[in-house]
């Protein structure tokens, strides 16, 4: 699949906004700490990925009903669904000058019904001329996402025969329908009804 930038200028993928608030002190402090433990952009990107994947539980797995959507809130509460965790990882990457995009998958539930859109990120490392998708959702039995530039190791590879789809657009900011669902939902149950099932 060929990934396509929504915004041609790569600098858009370094910008801060309400959701990817990488100028927030908590995001900056976290990025600084992670950077101090790494040697280059690659090792920093992998460390930031593992930090979000492994230390911020996915709220479905943990049973947490709170809805977080802003990167700094995700890091403060250590809580979030895939979209929130993607915002946090994008913020940590952008804080250290690594372009990061938001991207999405359309997946189906076990009963064959469309599920809510799944969120992940893509990053572009210095000296590389392409984007690499990464999924910080968090692992559990049956899910083994890994940081990789060689081959994608996402939580869920799509199954086209079931109608699942990888959306090729790389968004500089969260998709408006996703962000609206996150911002307006009082709890996770409400969020599941508010998030789109297709883009």
């Amino acid at each position: 699949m060929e990934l396509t930038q929504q915004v041609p200028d790569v600098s858009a993928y370094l910008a801060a906004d309400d959701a990817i608030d990488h100028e927030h002190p908590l995001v900056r402090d976290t990025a600084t700490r992670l950077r101090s433990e790494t040697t280059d952009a690659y090792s920093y990107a992998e460390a930031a990925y593992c930090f979000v994947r492994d230390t911020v539980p996915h709220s479905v797995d943990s049973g947490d009903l709170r809805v977080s959507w802003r990167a700094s809130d995700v890091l403060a509460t250590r809580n979030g669904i895939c979209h929130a965790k993607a915002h946090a990882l994008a913020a940590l990457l952008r804080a250290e000058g690594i372009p990061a995009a938001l991207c999405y998958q359309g997946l189906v539930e076990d009963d064959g019904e469309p599920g809510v859109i799944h969120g992940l990120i893509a990053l572009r490392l210095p000296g590389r001329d392409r984007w690499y998708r990464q999924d910080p959702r968090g692992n559990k039995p049956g899910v083994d996402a890994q940081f990789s530039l060689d081959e994608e190791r996402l939580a869920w590879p799509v199954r086209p025969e079931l109608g699942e789809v990888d959306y090729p657009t790389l968004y500089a900011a969260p998709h408006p329908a996703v962000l609206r669902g996150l911002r307006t939902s009082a709890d996770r149950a409400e969020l599941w009804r508010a998030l789109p099932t297709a883009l």
Side-chain angles (χ1 to χ4, degrees):
M1 177 185 64
E2 184 174 343
L3 299 171
T4 305
Q5 290 177 211
Q6 179 197 28
V7 181
D9 186 350
V10 74
S11 67
Y13 299 90
L14 291 167
D17 61 30
D18 283 348
I20 304 172
D21 59 340
H22 63 73
E23 296 170 350
H24 188 281
L26 178 56
V27 178
R28 300 292 320 162
D29 289 349
T30 304
T32 298
R33 183 168 45 81
L34 291 170
R35 174 60 89 183
S36 73
E37 300 167 357
T38 58
T39 58
D40 57 19
Y42 178 95
S43 61
Y44 173 81
E46 183 174 21
Y49 168 85
C50 291
F51 178 81
V52 174
R53 184 194 64 189
D54 298 341
T55 72
V56 179
H58 191 288
S59 59
V60 171
D61 298 345
S62 68
D64 197 325
L65 298 179
R66 296 174 296 168
V67 176
S68 58
W69 57 272
R70 184 177 284 121
S72 57
D73 292 338
V74 174
L75 297 178
T77 64
R78 296 294 173 98
N79 162 66
I81 66 163
C82 58
H83 302 291
K85 295 183 68 166
H87 298 171
L89 178 54
L92 289 173
L93 293 170
R94 292 182 185 187
E96 290 296 323
I98 299 173
L102 301 168
C103 43
Y104 303 94
Q105 293 178 309
L107 305 174
V108 301
E109 300 289 352
D110 291 340
D111 62 5
E113 290 297 312
V116 298
I117 290 298
H118 178 58
L120 48 155
I121 68 110
L123 59 84
R124 189 167 176 167
L125 289 172
R128 305 265 182 152
D129 62 356
R130 59 171 291 213
W131 292 88
Y132 300 89
R133 293 192 308 167
Q134 311 292 332
D135 192 340
R137 181 231 179 265
N139 291 336
K140 63 179 184 175
V143 175
D144 184 29
Q146 301 293 327
F147 184 86
S148 176
L149 303 185
D150 298 324
E151 62 176 331
E152 287 190 335
R153 298 281 306 275
L154 307 179
W156 292 291
V158 298
R159 300 167 293 179
E161 68 277 11
L162 298 180
E164 295 183 336
V165 61
D166 281 315
Y167 292 101
T169 303
L170 299 173
Y171 292 89
H175 189 283
V178 170
L179 188 58
R180 183 169 49 253
L182 288 164
R183 293 184 74 164
T184 62
S185 297
D187 58 28
R188 190 162 34 83
E190 187 176 327
L191 175 61
W192 247 236
R193 295 189 294 271
L195 286 172
T197 58
L199 297 181

